[in-house]
Amino acid sequence: MDKIEKLANLFKIFCDANRLKIIFSLKDTQKSVSQIINDSGLSQPLVSFHLKVLREAKVVKTNRNGTFVFNELAHPELINLIETFSEFAEDKIITEKIFTGPNCKPPWLKGD
């Protein structure tokens, strides 16, 4: 798998709002599933499903303390990247300049 495919797969992980809620719930500390449920407002099955996806992608890791399992970000610096993308998405001037008009396609699609 080349770098572009790996990057595309990573962006697929972040394209779900529920996963982003979970990631931001884990922003500052490790948490149990019940704590993530309280933070995110998501149901237990939904949190468990998305945590599995995030663990498989190595975005979240687990720590066991006795009978308790805690989840934490494997790479806390991802929060900074997600927040940067969030700022970019909210910047109306940048969005208008890039995504409107005849030249809005990325260079690799201009021939289509």
Side-chain angles (χ1 to χ4, degrees), residues 1-2 4 14 24 27 31 35 49 57-58 63 72 77 93 99-100 109-110:
M1 184 181 310
D2 68 6
I4 296 294
F14 298 130
F24 277 105
K27 178 179 177 179
K31 294 184 178 173
Q35 290 170 311
F49 170 78
K58 298 185 179 15
N63 296 314
E72 68 178 316
E77 63 274 12
I93 295 170
F99 297 109
T100 60
L109 293 178
K110 287 198 186 254

Side-chain angles (χ1 to χ4, degrees), residues 30-94:
Q30 62 181 7
K31 294 184 178 173
S32 67
V33 170
S34 60
Q35 290 170 311
I36 296 169
I37 291 167
N38 288 337
D39 288 350
S40 66
L42 301 172
S43 68
Q44 184 275 323
L46 203 53
V47 168
S48 294
F49 170 78
H50 287 296
L51 278 172
K52 181 181 180 213
V53 172
L54 292 168
R55 280 193 309 271
E56 289 174 352
K58 298 185 179 15
V59 172
V60 169
K61 61 183 180 179
T62 58
N63 296 314
R64 189 171 294 276
N65 187 356
T67 59
F68 294 98
V69 176
F70 293 95
N71 300 277
E72 68 178 316
L73 294 176
H75 305 281
E77 63 274 12
L78 284 174
I79 290 292
N80 295 333
L81 291 171
I82 294 169
E83 287 175 342
T84 299
F85 278 108
S86 176
E87 290 169 14
F88 179 79
E90 291 178 9
D91 188 339
K92 186 174 170 64
I93 295 170
I94 290 175

